[in-house]
Amino acid sequence: MSPSTPADAHEAGRAGKDVLTALEAIERRVLWLSTAIIDHANRVRPNRSGLKVGGHQASSASMASIMTALWFHQLAAEDRVSVKPHASPVLHAINYLLGELDEEQLTTLRAFGGLQSYPSRTKDPDPVDYSTGSVGIGTTAPLWGAIARRYVDGHFGGAGTGRQYSLLGDAELDEGAVWEALRDPMVQNLGEAVWIVDLNRQSLDRVIPGIAADTLQGMFAAAGWQVLTLKYGSLLRELFTRPGGEALRTRIDAMGNPEYQRLLRCTAAELRERLPGAGSTAGPIAELISSLDDASLLAALRNLGGHDLGALLDAFTAIDDTRPTVILAYTVKGHGLPTEGHPQNHSSLLTADQMAALAQRLGTDLESPWSRFDEDSQAGALCAATADRLRRPARALQAPPEVPADLGRPAPTGTGTTQQALGRALLDLTRRAPRAAERIVTVSPDVSSTTNLGGWLNKAGVWSPTERADWFADDAETILHWRERPTGRHLELGIAETNLVGLLGELGTTWDRWGQPLLPIGVIYDPFVNRALEPWSFGIYAGGQSILVGTPSGVTLAPEGGAHQSITTPSLAIEQPGCLGYEPAFALDTEWCLLAALGNLGRPEGSSAYVRLSTRPVDQSLAAVPDDSVARERRRRQVTAGAYRLRQHSAPVVTLAAMGAAVPDALAAADRLAALGHGADVVCVTSPDLLFRACQARRGQGRERDQQWVLDQVFPAERATPMVTVLDGHPHTLAFLGTVRNTPVTTLGVTRFGQSGSLEDVHSHHGIDADSIVSAALDLVD
């Protein structure tokens, strides 16, 4: 075990004796209930498959003291807590004691429709502040939640105050996302952020030989965090003051984690033999522990700071609210269970005999496991008082502002890119739909200028908790004005994409948390979307609704080389639940898709969206947007439903279905095919995701039955012909389109890593240029 710190000097006793007595009773009941919830799921509930249901009794046990102290003494109603995934039974046990669950629900852990394996905001029946389960993501979520709360409260009010707690296992500190978050400049001043690390020094497979707590302390301190280390409890600290105590402390401090864990498995007799060790300090240690009876000796060895309620309460009192705080709480995995300290206890389950013995020791009944405290007992009164203290007032959900379907801009002329269209659409919204625009908040990881957000940023300003001087405001050569102030609507993080989508997810939950809907848009380079996908996906699972814009995209980004060319992202939305996907080809299509995506945010039935944009310059007249208002509206509806017929030949023999940056090549190929005597229809696909859903719905699958009309309008049976699909991405994205009318299909796209070169050379290399489209079409029709 690594060296202790001055925080060990905290003395218990600030809380009254009666309070500590009640907390100790609740701690025992929480330990029992969390263990029994898992036991019932695996040993009692009928199980037709015979497969282990699972659960983590040992991981829950190491958190029982920490969570008891936090909930029943420290938390306020406005505080929010992210609970480490494997401690979900502890959270359910606490919520049960607070009256948020009934007995029957405790029997449903990991059952269909029951208590979730890991805490879930959207699926658990009891209060859960943050969904966790993907290691590291739940840990950092409260940091982004704190920023989201500050943003909402500063712009619209009503978000209140409150601390943001993260309860995490020490293994989660292996995740790079944790340290990326700590390093972000926005995090350094979040005084409401408190992390409590369950430092049990065990992983799934083993005891970690060297947890290097002193290194962790240094890393947090270097990031500007307050560091409180709770290593020893009051029993051990009192022993250290006796003759031989300093030798005992030195011995334990120098002891490796595996040796310490092995001592936890020893009887008192074995402990008296092994604990003194060798050398000159062995005698004083042996003499010291000889004065203890067996029960006191065994209890003292287990008396680490993370299991000492008084030490925990003292640590909570010492939190400095001017900067983030981390509490490194030493614990024993499986504390209080027969499996405590065993290197393979991660997923182990207590036997029936062990459960019976545990019930007897904790003062409960295995045959009636779900008893609450008597209302007139100290513990019962504390539970009732805590429930009253933590009860949050109901918040009315405010409807998001109406987002217009069309801003009425005339169809653009000249040459432009879909990436440019994004910035222009945001600016148009500020003029034509100001109520919707004031709810838009954009986020980017240091790429605002290169993703065409400059105009929006100059207009909306950069958000900062306090106003900062813009020292380049009077510089005539400065085009991007970095005005940081509390009224700003753009948030700029460091370069880490994981941080961006973490914040994006939390900004997307404000409609539910505080009744204040935001319309969050995150913009990153499309090649890095996959890097950010898992945390963004988890944010969607947790109820966050946002728009992720990937730009520039594809091999069209030829000068950047193969490392910066995205291939798999076009099909992202097809595979991602809770997300719509768009890849428009023209500026007006981009505006319509963006407005449709914004209109889906901030509501119970809402959805996130992924928008893939390009830097390929495209002649906007190719869009052939109808001048007639009715025809224009029909085009808009088709664009936002997934596709439209861009070119219609009088006698088609082939259909070219193209998406995004590949549409100009498809149109050029159609002209050449016509010259060869082969009529070609051209379909502009704007959302493979929505077309796939329509296909599924037509087969009786999915819920998008009202969207089937787009298939009949864009792919009518009377015009069914062999098909060539083409896009600047993996060809499987559009391969399903051949099933719409069961026609032969050839799929063109990118299946290899790219390389630098001119646009013409790179498109030819990957077979998505006009020549390749013509060749594929001729193979189908000749």
Side-chain angles (χ1 to χ4, degrees), residues 555 558 616 665 757-770:
V555 300
R616 182 180 188 180
D665 289 289
S758 69
L759 195 64
E760 294 77 15
D761 288 342
V762 172
H763 279 207
S764 175
H765 172 71
H766 290 286
I768 59 173
D769 61 337

Side-chain angles (χ1 to χ4, degrees), residues 363-383:
T364 58
D365 184 356
L366 184 60
E367 300 305 316
S368 180
W370 316 123
S371 60
R372 289 188 172 97
F373 293 105
D374 291 337
E375 292 182 0
D376 56 355
S377 67
Q378 287 182 335
L382 182 54
C383 287

Side-chain angles (χ1 to χ4, degrees), residues 156-515:
F156 307 106
T161 57
R163 285 178 178 163
Q164 299 275 346
Y165 291 89
S166 290
L167 309 182
L168 60 148
D170 48 21
E172 292 195 68
L173 296 178
D174 291 344
E175 286 290 337
V178 169
W179 303 105
E180 287 181 354
L182 259 64
R183 286 275 297 111
D184 195 277
M186 274 211 179
V187 170
Q188 296 172 2
N189 296 317
L190 296 179
E192 62 265 51
V194 179
W195 287 13
I196 306 175
V197 181
D198 173 14
L199 205 66
N200 60 47
R201 304 169 308 288
Q202 280 189 240
S203 65
L204 189 151
D205 293 327
R206 61 175 182 154
V207 178
I208 304 300
I211 199 67
D214 52 347
T215 301
L216 295 177
Q217 294 167 2
M219 293 171 72
F220 276 102
W225 287 49
Q226 177 191 27
V227 181
L228 303 175
T229 300
L230 301 182
K231 186 172 185 182
Y232 298 121
S234 57
L235 295 180
L236 272 174
R237 292 202 306 274
E238 194 279 325
L239 276 182
F240 295 155
T241 66
R242 301 184 189 183
E246 191 57 38
L248 177 61
R249 183 177 189 133
T250 300
R251 163 83 168 120
I252 297 177
D253 278 347
M255 189 181 296
N257 293 324
E259 182 183 3
Y260 178 81
Q261 300 282 103
R262 181 63 185 89
L263 293 179
L264 294 172
R265 310 291 300 168
C266 291
T267 64
E270 293 171 329
L271 191 57
R272 294 182 191 280
E273 179 182 347
R274 301 175 76 157
L275 180 57
S280 61
T281 60
I285 294 173
E287 185 175 350
L288 170 63
I289 63 178
S290 68
S291 65
L292 304 176
D293 59 38
D294 287 353
S296 298
L297 176 59
L298 293 172
L301 187 69
R302 290 155 172 77
N303 182 226
L304 299 182
H307 300 301
D308 190 295
L309 293 171
L312 287 164
L313 300 188
D314 288 346
F316 296 153
T317 302
I319 291 172
D320 176 5
D321 284 323
T322 66
R323 54 179 173 154
T325 295
V326 61
I327 300 173
L328 300 175
Y330 278 75
T331 61
V332 175
K333 194 166 184 175
H335 184 259
L337 303 182
T339 58
E340 66 179 352
H342 194 280
Q344 279 86 54
N345 66 8
H346 182 79
S347 298
S348 65
L349 300 171
L350 270 58
T351 66
D353 289 342
Q354 288 173 326
M355 286 295 298
L358 182 68
Q360 183 175 11
R361 182 169 67 82
L362 296 179
T364 58
D365 184 356
L366 184 60
E367 300 305 316
S368 180
W370 316 123
S371 60
R372 289 188 172 97
F373 293 105
D374 291 337
E375 292 182 0
D376 56 355
S377 67
Q378 287 182 335
L382 182 54
C383 287
T386 301
D388 288 341
R389 185 182 77 247
L390 298 183
R391 189 168 292 114
R392 294 170 181 162
R395 293 184 183 273
L397 296 183
Q398 180 175 326
E402 183 178 351
V403 177
D406 189 344
L407 296 178
R409 169 187 284 273
T413 58
T415 300
T417 73
T418 54
Q419 179 178 288
Q420 291 169 342
L422 168 69
R424 188 161 51 242
L426 290 175
L427 285 175
D428 281 351
L429 269 167
T430 63
R431 294 186 288 265
R432 306 190 184 204
R435 288 192 65 252
E438 73 175 1
R439 295 281 171 168
I440 292 175
V441 51
T442 55
V443 189
S444 70
D446 197 33
V447 293
S448 299
S449 56
T450 53
T451 54
N452 284 92
L453 287 183
W456 162 260
L457 193 147
N458 288 341
K459 176 75 174 179
V462 179
W463 180 82
S464 173
T466 57
E467 188 156 355
R468 297 175 180 172
D470 179 8
W471 295 107
F472 287 85
D474 58 350
D475 184 356
E477 296 183 7
T478 297
I479 299 174
L480 185 65
H481 297 288
W482 207 258
R483 301 186 182 96
E484 298 180 85
R485 53 200 177 194
T487 57
R489 298 205 294 272
H490 174 78
L491 283 77
E492 187 92 345
L493 300 183
I495 200 66
E497 287 81 8
T498 299
N499 290 348
L500 175 132
V501 295
L503 176 56
L504 201 60
E506 290 307 314
L507 291 168
T509 64
T510 61
W511 65 274
D512 181 32
R513 290 194 191 280
W514 299 293

